Amino acid sequence: MRVVHTLAELRSHLNAFSRPALVPTMGNLHEGHLALVRQAKPLGDVTVASIFVNRLQFAPHEDFDRYPRTLEADCAQLQAAGCDVVFAPSEAELYPEPQGYKVSPPADLANLLEGHFRPGFFTGVCTVVLKLFHMVQPSAAVFGKKDYQQLIVVKRMVSQLALPIEIHGGETLRAADGLALSSRNGYLSPSERTQAVQLNQALQNMAHSINTLQLTPGDLPALEANATQQLTQLGWQVDYLTVRQRADLQPPPPSETQSSAGNWVVLAAARLGKTRLIDNIEL
Ligand code: PAF
């Protein structure tokens, strides 16, 4: 496995290949990322993982400075997972001058859910992802479904900008108790870690109610309010806990019936102490 830090090294190494498969990451890798690398391997003739903590997608009060940088351990894990090339540019390499040109995704998709609570987040994501796409020139890229909205935003960017890249979603990996694997789980105290599973349980309960009670869109606001109240009583600060259509993340229209529930996804973001966690399940 080659570890390269500059665009020149990356280009010269990738010259020998025609179909790179890319897994973009911010490092501090866990099994979930490695599963994406394994998924990427058969999609191209060389597997590239990028590691870059992208300042553009962090608001000033967020965890950019304390986001763990663990390059050596990340590379060891990537090598074991069969990755061929790690692209780990410095900030000066990726942003040699202030990034004035940015990719601004459409408000109807990017200003809701995560985008509502983290204004500018998806502009930062799309800008760095497009830049990584230009640098690596992959024919396929894999993004985790845990960041569900990010996956949809990137898919739409690729489609609207006619980029010749296949975007694949990777299933969320979970700890034995159901907590979705995330780099941010490391911020949880031992007691918060025990409690953290409640977020996934709330999603499971909502999905179970929708399926067993045959709920329709008209029933969803009450279901969401009830689940939010229960999590809040357990000590969570809930940003959202909501049922949306998978394709565009809009609320299912009232005209839909229970038979369309297979196209829905239940999404949540909530804070436990100082740690903000997100999760989702497709119905
Ligand atoms: O999901 C992430 O880790 C990041 O948002 C990404 C896609 C690597 C862009 O910085």
Side-chain angles (χ1 to χ4, degrees), residues 54 56-57 103-106 109-129 147-154 157 240 249 278:
N54 174 37
L56 280 192
Q57 69 192 70
V103 182
S104 164
L109 181 59
N111 289 2
L112 42 86
L113 304 173
E114 283 305 283
H116 176 77
F117 290 94
R118 306 180 68 188
F121 172 66
F122 287 115
T123 296
V125 168
C126 286
T127 303
V128 80
V129 167
D147 295 291
Y148 204 87
Q149 190 175 7
Q150 171 172 279
L151 173 63
I152 306 288
V153 166
V154 168
M157 174 179 79
Y240 57 84
L249 301 182
I278 62 172

PDB file of all heavy atoms in Angstrom, residues 54 56-57 103-106 109-129 147-154 157 240 249 278:
ATOM      1  N   ASN A  54     -11.703  17.994   6.885  1.00  0.00           N
ATOM      2  CA  ASN A  54     -12.035  19.122   6.013  1.00  0.00           C
ATOM      3  C   ASN A  54     -12.614  20.299   6.806  1.00  0.00           C
ATOM      4  O   ASN A  54     -13.796  20.306   7.143  1.00  0.00           O
ATOM      5  CB  ASN A  54     -13.056  18.618   4.975  1.00  0.00           C
ATOM      6  CG  ASN A  54     -13.595  19.724   4.109  1.00  0.00           C
ATOM      7  OD1 ASN A  54     -12.868  20.648   3.742  1.00  0.00           O
ATOM      8  ND2 ASN A  54     -14.879  19.645   3.782  1.00  0.00           N
ATOM      9  N   LEU A  56     -13.638  23.060   5.969  1.00  0.00           N
ATOM     10  CA  LEU A  56     -14.780  23.756   5.352  1.00  0.00           C
ATOM     11  C   LEU A  56     -16.138  23.234   5.825  1.00  0.00           C
ATOM     12  O   LEU A  56     -17.137  23.927   5.706  1.00  0.00           O
ATOM     13  CB  LEU A  56     -14.757  23.576   3.829  1.00  0.00           C
ATOM     14  CG  LEU A  56     -13.846  24.418   2.965  1.00  0.00           C
ATOM     15  CD1 LEU A  56     -14.234  24.232   1.510  1.00  0.00           C
ATOM     16  CD2 LEU A  56     -13.911  25.875   3.350  1.00  0.00           C
ATOM     17  N   GLN A  57     -16.195  22.011   6.321  1.00  0.00           N
ATOM     18  CA  GLN A  57     -17.499  21.461   6.705  1.00  0.00           C
ATOM     19  C   GLN A  57     -17.757  21.542   8.210  1.00  0.00           C
ATOM     20  O   GLN A  57     -18.751  21.008   8.697  1.00  0.00           O
ATOM     21  CB  GLN A  57     -17.674  20.032   6.187  1.00  0.00           C
ATOM     22  CG  GLN A  57     -16.806  18.976   6.842  1.00  0.00           C
ATOM     23  CD  GLN A  57     -16.821  17.659   6.095  1.00  0.00           C
ATOM     24  OE1 GLN A  57     -16.277  17.546   4.999  1.00  0.00           O
ATOM     25  NE2 GLN A  57     -17.439  16.635   6.667  1.00  0.00           N
ATOM     26  N   VAL A 103     -19.036  24.548  -3.969  1.00  0.00           N
ATOM     27  CA  VAL A 103     -20.207  23.879  -4.542  1.00  0.00           C
ATOM     28  C   VAL A 103     -21.360  24.053  -3.566  1.00  0.00           C
ATOM     29  O   VAL A 103     -21.289  23.588  -2.432  1.00  0.00           O
ATOM     30  CB  VAL A 103     -19.951  22.374  -4.745  1.00  0.00           C
ATOM     31  CG1 VAL A 103     -21.169  21.720  -5.382  1.00  0.00           C
ATOM     32  CG2 VAL A 103     -18.706  22.156  -5.578  1.00  0.00           C
ATOM     33  N   SER A 104     -22.381  24.758  -4.025  1.00  0.00           N
ATOM     34  CA  SER A 104     -23.500  25.051  -3.135  1.00  0.00           C
ATOM     35  C   SER A 104     -24.689  24.168  -3.528  1.00  0.00           C
ATOM     36  O   SER A 104     -25.314  24.384  -4.560  1.00  0.00           O
ATOM     37  CB  SER A 104     -23.798  26.545  -3.290  1.00  0.00           C
ATOM     38  OG  SER A 104     -25.025  26.838  -2.788  1.00  0.00           O
ATOM     39  N   PRO A 105     -24.988  23.150  -2.726  1.00  0.00           N
ATOM     40  CA  PRO A 105     -26.060  22.223  -3.116  1.00  0.00           C
ATOM     41  C   PRO A 105     -27.432  22.877  -2.963  1.00  0.00           C
ATOM     42  O   PRO A 105     -27.572  23.861  -2.236  1.00  0.00           O
ATOM     43  CB  PRO A 105     -25.898  21.059  -2.140  1.00  0.00           C
ATOM     44  CG  PRO A 105     -25.144  21.600  -0.987  1.00  0.00           C
ATOM     45  CD  PRO A 105     -24.375  22.791  -1.439  1.00  0.00           C
ATOM     46  N   PRO A 106     -28.462  22.345  -3.642  1.00  0.00           N
ATOM     47  CA  PRO A 106     -29.780  22.986  -3.614  1.00  0.00           C
ATOM     48  C   PRO A 106     -30.392  22.997  -2.211  1.00  0.00           C
ATOM     49  O   PRO A 106     -30.286  22.016  -1.475  1.00  0.00           O
ATOM     50  CB  PRO A 106     -30.624  22.129  -4.567  1.00  0.00           C
ATOM     51  CG  PRO A 106     -29.886  20.850  -4.716  1.00  0.00           C
ATOM     52  CD  PRO A 106     -28.439  21.119  -4.449  1.00  0.00           C
ATOM     53  N   LEU A 109     -32.687  20.301  -0.566  1.00  0.00           N
ATOM     54  CA  LEU A 109     -32.081  19.065  -0.080  1.00  0.00           C
ATOM     55  C   LEU A 109     -31.059  19.335   1.030  1.00  0.00           C
ATOM     56  O   LEU A 109     -30.943  18.572   1.981  1.00  0.00           O
ATOM     57  CB  LEU A 109     -31.383  18.348  -1.251  1.00  0.00           C
ATOM     58  CG  LEU A 109     -30.721  17.019  -0.937  1.00  0.00           C
ATOM     59  CD1 LEU A 109     -31.746  16.018  -0.399  1.00  0.00           C
ATOM     60  CD2 LEU A 109     -30.045  16.456  -2.182  1.00  0.00           C
ATOM     61  N   ALA A 110     -30.340  20.433   0.917  1.00  0.00           N
ATOM     62  CA  ALA A 110     -29.189  20.633   1.801  1.00  0.00           C
ATOM     63  C   ALA A 110     -29.474  21.530   2.995  1.00  0.00           C
ATOM     64  O   ALA A 110     -28.643  21.628   3.898  1.00  0.00           O
ATOM     65  CB  ALA A 110     -28.024  21.213   0.995  1.00  0.00           C
ATOM     66  N   ASN A 111     -30.625  22.199   3.015  1.00  0.00           N
ATOM     67  CA  ASN A 111     -30.908  23.080   4.159  1.00  0.00           C
ATOM     68  C   ASN A 111     -31.828  22.436   5.184  1.00  0.00           C
ATOM     69  O   ASN A 111     -32.240  23.087   6.132  1.00  0.00           O
ATOM     70  CB  ASN A 111     -31.518  24.414   3.699  1.00  0.00           C
ATOM     71  CG  ASN A 111     -30.494  25.280   2.992  1.00  0.00           C
ATOM     72  OD1 ASN A 111     -29.348  24.866   2.827  1.00  0.00           O
ATOM     73  ND2 ASN A 111     -30.900  26.461   2.565  1.00  0.00           N
ATOM     74  N   LEU A 112     -32.182  21.163   4.972  1.00  0.00           N
ATOM     75  CA  LEU A 112     -33.027  20.499   5.960  1.00  0.00           C
ATOM     76  C   LEU A 112     -32.179  19.517   6.782  1.00  0.00           C
ATOM     77  O   LEU A 112     -31.008  19.304   6.487  1.00  0.00           O
ATOM     78  CB  LEU A 112     -34.210  19.798   5.272  1.00  0.00           C
ATOM     79  CG  LEU A 112     -33.965  19.031   3.981  1.00  0.00           C
ATOM     80  CD1 LEU A 112     -33.528  17.626   4.260  1.00  0.00           C
ATOM     81  CD2 LEU A 112     -35.220  19.022   3.149  1.00  0.00           C
ATOM     82  N   LEU A 113     -32.770  18.967   7.831  1.00  0.00           N
ATOM     83  CA  LEU A 113     -32.120  17.965   8.686  1.00  0.00           C
ATOM     84  C   LEU A 113     -30.705  18.422   9.083  1.00  0.00           C
ATOM     85  O   LEU A 113     -30.550  19.454   9.728  1.00  0.00           O
ATOM     86  CB  LEU A 113     -32.122  16.603   7.976  1.00  0.00           C
ATOM     87  CG  LEU A 113     -33.511  16.099   7.538  1.00  0.00           C
ATOM     88  CD1 LEU A 113     -33.397  14.825   6.697  1.00  0.00           C
ATOM     89  CD2 LEU A 113     -34.419  15.859   8.721  1.00  0.00           C
ATOM     90  N   GLU A 114     -29.651  17.703   8.665  1.00  0.00           N
ATOM     91  CA  GLU A 114     -28.295  18.103   9.048  1.00  0.00           C
ATOM     92  C   GLU A 114     -27.982  19.540   8.632  1.00  0.00           C
ATOM     93  O   GLU A 114     -27.370  20.301   9.375  1.00  0.00           O
ATOM     94  CB  GLU A 114     -27.252  17.172   8.405  1.00  0.00           C
ATOM     95  CG  GLU A 114     -27.121  15.837   9.057  1.00  0.00           C
ATOM     96  CD  GLU A 114     -26.822  15.947  10.540  1.00  0.00           C
ATOM     97  OE1 GLU A 114     -25.683  16.236  10.892  1.00  0.00           O
ATOM     98  OE2 GLU A 114     -27.750  15.744  11.336  1.00  0.00           O
ATOM     99  N   GLY A 115     -28.410  19.885   7.420  1.00  0.00           N
ATOM    100  CA  GLY A 115     -28.108  21.226   6.900  1.00  0.00           C
ATOM    101  C   GLY A 115     -28.788  22.328   7.705  1.00  0.00           C
ATOM    102  O   GLY A 115     -28.276  23.446   7.800  1.00  0.00           O
ATOM    103  N   HIS A 116     -29.944  22.015   8.307  1.00  0.00           N
ATOM    104  CA  HIS A 116     -30.640  23.007   9.129  1.00  0.00           C
ATOM    105  C   HIS A 116     -29.857  23.258  10.417  1.00  0.00           C
ATOM    106  O   HIS A 116     -29.741  24.401  10.869  1.00  0.00           O
ATOM    107  CB  HIS A 116     -32.057  22.509   9.435  1.00  0.00           C
ATOM    108  CG  HIS A 116     -32.816  23.401  10.349  1.00  0.00           C
ATOM    109  ND1 HIS A 116     -33.384  24.587   9.920  1.00  0.00           N
ATOM    110  CD2 HIS A 116     -33.074  23.310  11.672  1.00  0.00           C
ATOM    111  CE1 HIS A 116     -33.976  25.173  10.951  1.00  0.00           C
ATOM    112  NE2 HIS A 116     -33.805  24.419  12.023  1.00  0.00           N
ATOM    113  N   PHE A 117     -29.350  22.179  11.002  1.00  0.00           N
ATOM    114  CA  PHE A 117     -28.639  22.321  12.277  1.00  0.00           C
ATOM    115  C   PHE A 117     -27.163  22.642  12.077  1.00  0.00           C
ATOM    116  O   PHE A 117     -26.498  23.070  13.015  1.00  0.00           O
ATOM    117  CB  PHE A 117     -28.810  21.051  13.126  1.00  0.00           C
ATOM    118  CG  PHE A 117     -30.219  20.929  13.634  1.00  0.00           C
ATOM    119  CD1 PHE A 117     -31.168  20.186  12.940  1.00  0.00           C
ATOM    120  CD2 PHE A 117     -30.612  21.610  14.773  1.00  0.00           C
ATOM    121  CE1 PHE A 117     -32.475  20.105  13.394  1.00  0.00           C
ATOM    122  CE2 PHE A 117     -31.917  21.537  15.230  1.00  0.00           C
ATOM    123  CZ  PHE A 117     -32.853  20.789  14.536  1.00  0.00           C
ATOM    124  N   ARG A 118     -26.642  22.394  10.875  1.00  0.00           N
ATOM    125  CA  ARG A 118     -25.226  22.680  10.596  1.00  0.00           C
ATOM    126  C   ARG A 118     -25.147  23.489   9.296  1.00  0.00           C
ATOM    127  O   ARG A 118     -24.737  22.966   8.251  1.00  0.00           O
ATOM    128  CB  ARG A 118     -24.453  21.356  10.463  1.00  0.00           C
ATOM    129  CG  ARG A 118     -24.627  20.427  11.664  1.00  0.00           C
ATOM    130  CD  ARG A 118     -23.845  19.135  11.496  1.00  0.00           C
ATOM    131  NE  ARG A 118     -22.412  19.375  11.543  1.00  0.00           N
ATOM    132  CZ  ARG A 118     -21.483  18.447  11.278  1.00  0.00           C
ATOM    133  NH1 ARG A 118     -21.844  17.227  10.969  1.00  0.00           N
ATOM    134  NH2 ARG A 118     -20.200  18.735  11.339  1.00  0.00           N
ATOM    135  N   PRO A 119     -25.540  24.784   9.363  1.00  0.00           N
ATOM    136  CA  PRO A 119     -25.571  25.579   8.130  1.00  0.00           C
ATOM    137  C   PRO A 119     -24.202  25.573   7.448  1.00  0.00           C
ATOM    138  O   PRO A 119     -23.180  25.707   8.107  1.00  0.00           O
ATOM    139  CB  PRO A 119     -25.929  26.993   8.627  1.00  0.00           C
ATOM    140  CG  PRO A 119     -26.523  26.809   9.980  1.00  0.00           C
ATOM    141  CD  PRO A 119     -25.899  25.559  10.562  1.00  0.00           C
ATOM    142  N   GLY A 120     -24.212  25.398   6.143  1.00  0.00           N
ATOM    143  CA  GLY A 120     -22.956  25.409   5.380  1.00  0.00           C
ATOM    144  C   GLY A 120     -22.272  24.056   5.335  1.00  0.00           C
ATOM    145  O   GLY A 120     -21.314  23.853   4.570  1.00  0.00           O
ATOM    146  N   PHE A 121     -22.757  23.097   6.113  1.00  0.00           N
ATOM    147  CA  PHE A 121     -22.098  21.785   6.193  1.00  0.00           C
ATOM    148  C   PHE A 121     -21.993  21.127   4.813  1.00  0.00           C
ATOM    149  O   PHE A 121     -20.918  20.684   4.390  1.00  0.00           O
ATOM    150  CB  PHE A 121     -22.869  20.885   7.166  1.00  0.00           C
ATOM    151  CG  PHE A 121     -22.414  19.456   7.191  1.00  0.00           C
ATOM    152  CD1 PHE A 121     -21.156  19.122   7.662  1.00  0.00           C
ATOM    153  CD2 PHE A 121     -23.236  18.429   6.744  1.00  0.00           C
ATOM    154  CE1 PHE A 121     -20.723  17.799   7.697  1.00  0.00           C
ATOM    155  CE2 PHE A 121     -22.817  17.104   6.772  1.00  0.00           C
ATOM    156  CZ  PHE A 121     -21.565  16.793   7.250  1.00  0.00           C
ATOM    157  N   PHE A 122     -23.104  21.091   4.085  1.00  0.00           N
ATOM    158  CA  PHE A 122     -23.079  20.368   2.811  1.00  0.00           C
ATOM    159  C   PHE A 122     -22.332  21.132   1.719  1.00  0.00           C
ATOM    160  O   PHE A 122     -21.850  20.525   0.763  1.00  0.00           O
ATOM    161  CB  PHE A 122     -24.497  19.978   2.373  1.00  0.00           C
ATOM    162  CG  PHE A 122     -25.050  18.862   3.211  1.00  0.00           C
ATOM    163  CD1 PHE A 122     -26.148  19.055   4.034  1.00  0.00           C
ATOM    164  CD2 PHE A 122     -24.451  17.608   3.207  1.00  0.00           C
ATOM    165  CE1 PHE A 122     -26.641  18.028   4.824  1.00  0.00           C
ATOM    166  CE2 PHE A 122     -24.929  16.565   4.000  1.00  0.00           C
ATOM    167  CZ  PHE A 122     -26.033  16.781   4.817  1.00  0.00           C
ATOM    168  N   THR A 123     -22.231  22.440   1.850  1.00  0.00           N
ATOM    169  CA  THR A 123     -21.365  23.175   0.913  1.00  0.00           C
ATOM    170  C   THR A 123     -19.921  22.742   1.139  1.00  0.00           C
ATOM    171  O   THR A 123     -19.167  22.485   0.189  1.00  0.00           O
ATOM    172  CB  THR A 123     -21.526  24.701   1.126  1.00  0.00           C
ATOM    173  OG1 THR A 123     -22.868  25.047   0.810  1.00  0.00           O
ATOM    174  CG2 THR A 123     -20.571  25.500   0.253  1.00  0.00           C
ATOM    175  N   GLY A 124     -19.544  22.626   2.410  1.00  0.00           N
ATOM    176  CA  GLY A 124     -18.185  22.161   2.729  1.00  0.00           C
ATOM    177  C   GLY A 124     -17.949  20.747   2.237  1.00  0.00           C
ATOM    178  O   GLY A 124     -16.895  20.438   1.664  1.00  0.00           O
ATOM    179  N   VAL A 125     -18.934  19.873   2.438  1.00  0.00           N
ATOM    180  CA  VAL A 125     -18.793  18.469   2.004  1.00  0.00           C
ATOM    181  C   VAL A 125     -18.687  18.405   0.480  1.00  0.00           C
ATOM    182  O   VAL A 125     -17.777  17.779  -0.077  1.00  0.00           O
ATOM    183  CB  VAL A 125     -19.975  17.607   2.507  1.00  0.00           C
ATOM    184  CG1 VAL A 125     -19.984  16.244   1.831  1.00  0.00           C
ATOM    185  CG2 VAL A 125     -19.924  17.443   4.017  1.00  0.00           C
ATOM    186  N   CYS A 126     -19.646  19.051  -0.218  1.00  0.00           N
ATOM    187  CA  CYS A 126     -19.655  18.953  -1.691  1.00  0.00           C
ATOM    188  C   CYS A 126     -18.380  19.540  -2.280  1.00  0.00           C
ATOM    189  O   CYS A 126     -17.834  19.003  -3.257  1.00  0.00           O
ATOM    190  CB  CYS A 126     -20.869  19.684  -2.269  1.00  0.00           C
ATOM    191  SG  CYS A 126     -22.397  18.774  -2.010  1.00  0.00           S
ATOM    192  N   THR A 127     -17.908  20.624  -1.698  1.00  0.00           N
ATOM    193  CA  THR A 127     -16.701  21.267  -2.245  1.00  0.00           C
ATOM    194  C   THR A 127     -15.501  20.325  -2.134  1.00  0.00           C
ATOM    195  O   THR A 127     -14.771  20.116  -3.105  1.00  0.00           O
ATOM    196  CB  THR A 127     -16.437  22.600  -1.514  1.00  0.00           C
ATOM    197  OG1 THR A 127     -17.602  23.418  -1.648  1.00  0.00           O
ATOM    198  CG2 THR A 127     -15.227  23.314  -2.096  1.00  0.00           C
ATOM    199  N   VAL A 128     -15.321  19.726  -0.963  1.00  0.00           N
ATOM    200  CA  VAL A 128     -14.151  18.850  -0.820  1.00  0.00           C
ATOM    201  C   VAL A 128     -14.336  17.564  -1.616  1.00  0.00           C
ATOM    202  O   VAL A 128     -13.382  17.044  -2.207  1.00  0.00           O
ATOM    203  CB  VAL A 128     -13.815  18.568   0.666  1.00  0.00           C
ATOM    204  CG1 VAL A 128     -14.710  17.501   1.264  1.00  0.00           C
ATOM    205  CG2 VAL A 128     -12.363  18.158   0.809  1.00  0.00           C
ATOM    206  N   VAL A 129     -15.562  17.050  -1.658  1.00  0.00           N
ATOM    207  CA  VAL A 129     -15.782  15.789  -2.386  1.00  0.00           C
ATOM    208  C   VAL A 129     -15.543  16.008  -3.881  1.00  0.00           C
ATOM    209  O   VAL A 129     -14.868  15.209  -4.547  1.00  0.00           O
ATOM    210  CB  VAL A 129     -17.192  15.219  -2.101  1.00  0.00           C
ATOM    211  CG1 VAL A 129     -17.547  14.102  -3.072  1.00  0.00           C
ATOM    212  CG2 VAL A 129     -17.269  14.695  -0.670  1.00  0.00           C
ATOM    213  N   ASP A 147     -24.271   8.380   7.134  1.00  0.00           N
ATOM    214  CA  ASP A 147     -24.463   9.797   6.781  1.00  0.00           C
ATOM    215  C   ASP A 147     -25.415   9.823   5.584  1.00  0.00           C
ATOM    216  O   ASP A 147     -25.014  10.104   4.447  1.00  0.00           O
ATOM    217  CB  ASP A 147     -23.112  10.435   6.446  1.00  0.00           C
ATOM    218  CG  ASP A 147     -22.211  10.467   7.661  1.00  0.00           C
ATOM    219  OD1 ASP A 147     -22.503  11.216   8.589  1.00  0.00           O
ATOM    220  OD2 ASP A 147     -21.230   9.699   7.692  1.00  0.00           O
ATOM    221  N   TYR A 148     -26.670   9.511   5.866  1.00  0.00           N
ATOM    222  CA  TYR A 148     -27.635   9.241   4.795  1.00  0.00           C
ATOM    223  C   TYR A 148     -27.829  10.450   3.895  1.00  0.00           C
ATOM    224  O   TYR A 148     -27.828  10.346   2.668  1.00  0.00           O
ATOM    225  CB  TYR A 148     -28.985   8.848   5.430  1.00  0.00           C
ATOM    226  CG  TYR A 148     -29.854   8.028   4.520  1.00  0.00           C
ATOM    227  CD1 TYR A 148     -29.721   6.647   4.474  1.00  0.00           C
ATOM    228  CD2 TYR A 148     -30.794   8.629   3.701  1.00  0.00           C
ATOM    229  CE1 TYR A 148     -30.506   5.876   3.628  1.00  0.00           C
ATOM    230  CE2 TYR A 148     -31.591   7.870   2.860  1.00  0.00           C
ATOM    231  CZ  TYR A 148     -31.444   6.496   2.831  1.00  0.00           C
ATOM    232  OH  TYR A 148     -32.223   5.742   1.986  1.00  0.00           O
ATOM    233  N   GLN A 149     -27.986  11.622   4.534  1.00  0.00           N
ATOM    234  CA  GLN A 149     -28.242  12.827   3.742  1.00  0.00           C
ATOM    235  C   GLN A 149     -27.013  13.168   2.884  1.00  0.00           C
ATOM    236  O   GLN A 149     -27.146  13.579   1.733  1.00  0.00           O
ATOM    237  CB  GLN A 149     -28.589  13.992   4.679  1.00  0.00           C
ATOM    238  CG  GLN A 149     -29.101  15.227   3.954  1.00  0.00           C
ATOM    239  CD  GLN A 149     -29.547  16.305   4.916  1.00  0.00           C
ATOM    240  OE1 GLN A 149     -29.351  16.180   6.136  1.00  0.00           O
ATOM    241  NE2 GLN A 149     -30.127  17.362   4.393  1.00  0.00           N
ATOM    242  N   GLN A 150     -25.825  12.948   3.440  1.00  0.00           N
ATOM    243  CA  GLN A 150     -24.604  13.198   2.670  1.00  0.00           C
ATOM    244  C   GLN A 150     -24.584  12.330   1.407  1.00  0.00           C
ATOM    245  O   GLN A 150     -24.239  12.798   0.314  1.00  0.00           O
ATOM    246  CB  GLN A 150     -23.390  12.891   3.540  1.00  0.00           C
ATOM    247  CG  GLN A 150     -22.059  12.890   2.811  1.00  0.00           C
ATOM    248  CD  GLN A 150     -20.886  12.767   3.754  1.00  0.00           C
ATOM    249  OE1 GLN A 150     -20.467  13.740   4.337  1.00  0.00           O
ATOM    250  NE2 GLN A 150     -20.338  11.568   3.905  1.00  0.00           N
ATOM    251  N   LEU A 151     -24.972  11.063   1.567  1.00  0.00           N
ATOM    252  CA  LEU A 151     -24.998  10.159   0.415  1.00  0.00           C
ATOM    253  C   LEU A 151     -25.960  10.678  -0.660  1.00  0.00           C
ATOM    254  O   LEU A 151     -25.630  10.699  -1.854  1.00  0.00           O
ATOM    255  CB  LEU A 151     -25.401   8.753   0.890  1.00  0.00           C
ATOM    256  CG  LEU A 151     -25.651   7.700  -0.168  1.00  0.00           C
ATOM    257  CD1 LEU A 151     -24.393   7.406  -0.978  1.00  0.00           C
ATOM    258  CD2 LEU A 151     -26.171   6.401   0.478  1.00  0.00           C
ATOM    259  N   ILE A 152     -27.139  11.133  -0.241  1.00  0.00           N
ATOM    260  CA  ILE A 152     -28.133  11.623  -1.211  1.00  0.00           C
ATOM    261  C   ILE A 152     -27.640  12.919  -1.866  1.00  0.00           C
ATOM    262  O   ILE A 152     -27.780  13.112  -3.086  1.00  0.00           O
ATOM    263  CB  ILE A 152     -29.493  11.896  -0.514  1.00  0.00           C
ATOM    264  CG1 ILE A 152     -29.980  10.669   0.261  1.00  0.00           C
ATOM    265  CG2 ILE A 152     -30.550  12.368  -1.501  1.00  0.00           C
ATOM    266  CD1 ILE A 152     -30.455   9.533  -0.562  1.00  0.00           C
ATOM    267  N   VAL A 153     -27.040  13.804  -1.063  1.00  0.00           N
ATOM    268  CA  VAL A 153     -26.533  15.076  -1.592  1.00  0.00           C
ATOM    269  C   VAL A 153     -25.416  14.813  -2.620  1.00  0.00           C
ATOM    270  O   VAL A 153     -25.397  15.419  -3.698  1.00  0.00           O
ATOM    271  CB  VAL A 153     -26.017  15.970  -0.421  1.00  0.00           C
ATOM    272  CG1 VAL A 153     -25.186  17.129  -0.937  1.00  0.00           C
ATOM    273  CG2 VAL A 153     -27.179  16.483   0.424  1.00  0.00           C
ATOM    274  N   VAL A 154     -24.521  13.889  -2.305  1.00  0.00           N
ATOM    275  CA  VAL A 154     -23.413  13.588  -3.231  1.00  0.00           C
ATOM    276  C   VAL A 154     -23.959  12.933  -4.505  1.00  0.00           C
ATOM    277  O   VAL A 154     -23.555  13.276  -5.624  1.00  0.00           O
ATOM    278  CB  VAL A 154     -22.354  12.684  -2.553  1.00  0.00           C
ATOM    279  CG1 VAL A 154     -21.357  12.132  -3.571  1.00  0.00           C
ATOM    280  CG2 VAL A 154     -21.623  13.457  -1.462  1.00  0.00           C
ATOM    281  N   MET A 157     -25.398  15.620  -6.644  1.00  0.00           N
ATOM    282  CA  MET A 157     -24.330  16.447  -7.227  1.00  0.00           C
ATOM    283  C   MET A 157     -23.727  15.736  -8.444  1.00  0.00           C
ATOM    284  O   MET A 157     -23.555  16.340  -9.516  1.00  0.00           O
ATOM    285  CB  MET A 157     -23.234  16.719  -6.186  1.00  0.00           C
ATOM    286  CG  MET A 157     -22.023  17.438  -6.759  1.00  0.00           C
ATOM    287  SD  MET A 157     -20.735  17.786  -5.537  1.00  0.00           S
ATOM    288  CE  MET A 157     -19.922  16.198  -5.408  1.00  0.00           C
ATOM    289  N   TYR A 240     -33.466  16.242  15.527  1.00  0.00           N
ATOM    290  CA  TYR A 240     -34.600  15.749  14.747  1.00  0.00           C
ATOM    291  C   TYR A 240     -34.717  14.239  14.893  1.00  0.00           C
ATOM    292  O   TYR A 240     -33.728  13.547  15.186  1.00  0.00           O
ATOM    293  CB  TYR A 240     -34.499  16.144  13.254  1.00  0.00           C
ATOM    294  CG  TYR A 240     -33.244  15.678  12.556  1.00  0.00           C
ATOM    295  CD1 TYR A 240     -33.128  14.407  12.025  1.00  0.00           C
ATOM    296  CD2 TYR A 240     -32.159  16.540  12.412  1.00  0.00           C
ATOM    297  CE1 TYR A 240     -31.971  13.989  11.384  1.00  0.00           C
ATOM    298  CE2 TYR A 240     -30.989  16.132  11.777  1.00  0.00           C
ATOM    299  CZ  TYR A 240     -30.904  14.853  11.267  1.00  0.00           C
ATOM    300  OH  TYR A 240     -29.757  14.437  10.652  1.00  0.00           O
ATOM    301  N   LEU A 249     -35.659  13.068   0.838  1.00  0.00           N
ATOM    302  CA  LEU A 249     -35.680  13.418   2.263  1.00  0.00           C
ATOM    303  C   LEU A 249     -36.785  14.408   2.634  1.00  0.00           C
ATOM    304  O   LEU A 249     -36.704  15.085   3.660  1.00  0.00           O
ATOM    305  CB  LEU A 249     -34.298  13.920   2.727  1.00  0.00           C
ATOM    306  CG  LEU A 249     -33.175  12.903   2.518  1.00  0.00           C
ATOM    307  CD1 LEU A 249     -31.852  13.437   3.028  1.00  0.00           C
ATOM    308  CD2 LEU A 249     -33.490  11.572   3.206  1.00  0.00           C
ATOM    309  N   ILE A 278     -25.665  10.777  15.057  1.00  0.00           N
ATOM    310  CA  ILE A 278     -26.719  10.626  14.064  1.00  0.00           C
ATOM    311  C   ILE A 278     -26.885   9.143  13.747  1.00  0.00           C
ATOM    312  O   ILE A 278     -25.963   8.352  13.947  1.00  0.00           O
ATOM    313  CB  ILE A 278     -26.439  11.415  12.757  1.00  0.00           C
ATOM    314  CG1 ILE A 278     -25.177  10.925  12.059  1.00  0.00           C
ATOM    315  CG2 ILE A 278     -26.371  12.890  13.008  1.00  0.00           C
ATOM    316  CD1 ILE A 278     -24.968  11.546  10.679  1.00  0.00           C
TER     317      ILE A 278
END
